[in-house]
Structure formats: C-alpha cells, structure tokens
Amino acid sequence: MIEIYSNTDGSKTLLNQNLNETYHSRHGAIAESMHVFIEKGLQSDAIKAKQEITIFEMGFGTGLNAILTLQHQASPQVINYHAVETFPLDFALVKQLNYMANCTDEIIHNYTQMHQLTWEQNLAIAANFKLLKQQADLCTLQLEANSIDLVYFDAFAPDKQPELWTAAIFKKLYEAMKPASVLVTYSAKGDVRRNLMAAGFEVEKLEGPPYKRHMLRALKN
Ligand SMILES: C[S@@+](CC[C@H](N)C(=O)[O-])C[C@H]1O[C@@H](n2cnc3c(N)ncnc32)[C@H](O)[C@@H]1O
C-alpha cells in the first residue's frame, strides 16, 4: 500500500507502508533530489563536460528526478534517460504530491508526458531529452556494457532493500558504465561505500542534503 506522507517542511512524499519507507527524505523531497542527483550528479564536472549523456535511474517512482533533470538540463547537452521501475505508480496519486506547483506550463506538460509514456517505449519528451521507462527489476536486468554516463541510484534504503546495495549489483552497474562516469546516491552507509569500492569505483563522501550529514558519489575513471 502506498499513501501520501507530509514532510517536516510542508512538502509531500509517498510512503510505502509495507516497507515503512518513504520515496524521498521526510524533510523535503525536492531539496533532496536537487542536492543528490542534480547538483552532485548532473552538474558534476565529469558529466558537464560531455556533449551527450545516458542517465540510468534505479527506481523511476514519482518521476521527480527525471523532471528535475529535464528542468536543469544544460543546453546543448543531449540526454538519454533510462529509468527502471518494478512498481509503476498511478499518476493520479503522484499529482497529489503537487511537485509541479511552481512550474511553467511547459514543464507540467513534460511531466505529464513522462507519466503517460508507455513502458518500454523510447520517446523524445523535449528537443534534446529522450526517455525510456522500463518495467523491470534491477536484480535480473541485463545492461549493455559501456553505455551509461550517470547513475541515479535511488533504491529504498539499504536496510529495507539489502539485495540492491550489494557489490554484485554495483559491479553490474560499473561494467555498464563508460569511462569518466559517475554514480550518485543519498546513502552514505559504510557497507554501501565498501561495496561500491569492491565493485571498482573510487568513492567520495560528500556533504548530504538538508538534515543528512553525507551522501556518496562514486567515480569510474
Ligand atoms: C526511493 S524510491 C525512488 C523515487 C524516485 N527516484 C522518484 O524520483 O520518485 C525507490 C523506487 O525503486 C523502485 N524499486 C524497488 N525495487 C526495485 C527493483 N528491484 N528494480 C527496479 N525498481 C525498484 C520502487 O518501486 C520505488 O519506486
């Protein structure tokens, strides 16, 4: 069961009742996504330097990371956005989160398109932004080698989904990533850091989003 959860900053997120886990920080969804995925990932030096990038998102969820990426896309960079999700959400529920409250009509239209896009279909949402949503489980998914520039690793927390934060899963992502590529995640747990390093990444501990001391950024050189 999924229900709406009110955050401490007045914003909203979704709560997965089975796991007792929210989709974003309980202190603010947009602030967390902006800090971890946009500022430390999309806007990192290695990624900014590329003319065309492929982003792989683990867990499309509400589509918040995807729409923030489109909003903060640096022209003329071309973005191919590939998201996987095991449990697609109903857009009627997502709309109640009100993430588009202060956005232009164009962004609201883009966000709606992202949700209405058929799974497994690759479509241009904007001039330089293509989206492929795949209904698939990361544990069994096969990824093309040397195809990804930036990973948004946004699974539920390691204590709730330990099977996704393993060295084996990170190794699979490492092999699918290009040279000079980046993986960002909100978790800074010691086990996660060690598993990323065991998979071959160089790992940086960075300042975290509001109310969180640290996050991790992993680099494939
Ligand atoms: C923390 S939420 C991510 C929120 C999302 N990135 C957003 O911007 O709303 C984790 C997401 O991963 C999905 N998920 C969980 N296990 C998965 C798996 N094995 N493979 C793919 N997606 C999975 C969940 O259904 C959920 O939507």
Side-chain angles (χ1 to χ4, degrees), residues 23-24 57-62 65 85-86 136-138 154 161:
Y23 276 60
H24 299 98
E57 181 178 24
M58 157 58 228
F60 180 75
T62 64
N65 291 338
E85 175 58 62
T86 42
D137 183 336
L138 180 64
D154 201 11
Q161 289 200 293

Side-chain angles (χ1 to χ4, degrees), residues 84-104:
V84 288
E85 175 58 62
T86 42
F87 184 70
L89 294 169
D90 184 351
F91 189 41
L93 177 68
V94 172
K95 274 197 277 192
Q96 293 177 44
L97 299 170
N98 225 7
Y99 288 153
M100 299 294 102
N102 300 314
C103 292
T104 61

Side-chain angles (χ1 to χ4, degrees), residues 37 87 141 168:
F37 301 105
F87 184 70
L141 182 71

Side-chain angles (χ1 to χ4, degrees), residues 5-209:
Y5 180 90
S6 293
N7 295 322
T8 55
D9 68 347
S11 72
K12 291 176 185 161
T13 186
L14 293 178
L15 174 71
N16 178 316
Q17 287 174 318
N18 298 340
L19 296 175
N20 187 26
E21 178 76 352
T22 51
Y23 276 60
H24 299 98
S25 161
R26 296 178 189 222
H27 300 291
I30 296 178
E32 178 190 47
S33 285
M34 275 303 297
H35 180 88
V36 175
F37 301 105
I38 305 303
E39 289 163 23
K40 304 299 182 198
L42 184 68
Q43 296 172 344
S44 62
D45 290 342
I47 298 304
K48 272 195 307 193
K50 301 189 183 197
Q51 299 247 316
E52 177 164 1
I53 56 168
T54 295
I55 298 177
F56 177 79
E57 181 178 24
M58 157 58 228
F60 180 75
T62 64
L64 180 60
N65 291 338
I67 193 67
L68 289 175
T69 300
L70 173 56
Q71 265 185 297
H72 294 86
Q73 180 174 19
S75 177
Q77 191 177 60
V78 174
I79 297 182
N80 303 298
Y81 198 103
H82 176 192
V84 288
E85 175 58 62
T86 42
F87 184 70
L89 294 169
D90 184 351
F91 189 41
L93 177 68
V94 172
K95 274 197 277 192
Q96 293 177 44
L97 299 170
N98 225 7
Y99 288 153
M100 299 294 102
N102 300 314
C103 292
T104 61
D105 287 348
E106 191 181 352
I107 290 295
I108 294 169
H109 174 70
N110 292 147
Y111 191 51
T112 306
Q113 272 187 303
M114 286 179 168
H115 279 278
Q116 289 174 344
L117 175 67
T118 312
W119 292 85
E120 325 302 330
Q121 192 190 341
N122 194 352
L123 193 79
I125 298 289
N128 288 330
F129 190 103
K130 276 193 186 162
L131 173 64
L132 167 65
K133 290 189 305 184
Q134 199 177 4
Q135 190 169 355
D137 183 336
L138 180 64
C139 297
T140 50
L141 182 71
Q142 301 220 347
L143 290 166
E144 192 186 330
N146 203 28
S147 62
I148 298 168
D149 297 283
L150 175 60
V151 175
Y152 292 164
F153 198 86
D154 201 11
F156 288 125
D159 56 329
K160 301 294 167 86
Q161 289 200 293
E163 72 282 7
L164 289 174
W165 300 83
T166 62
I169 290 281
F170 292 141
K171 181 81 180 158
K172 175 156 89 169
L173 291 169
Y174 184 88
E175 282 167 2
M177 289 166 68
K178 295 181 192 169
S181 57
V182 174
L183 177 153
V184 270
T185 186
Y186 63 87
S187 177
K189 271 191 90 173
D191 282 350
V192 173
R193 185 157 177 253
R194 282 185 285 280
N195 287 345
L196 283 163
M197 287 166 67
F201 289 102
E202 193 178 290
V203 185
E204 299 174 283
K205 207 172 183 183
L206 304 178
E207 185 191 346

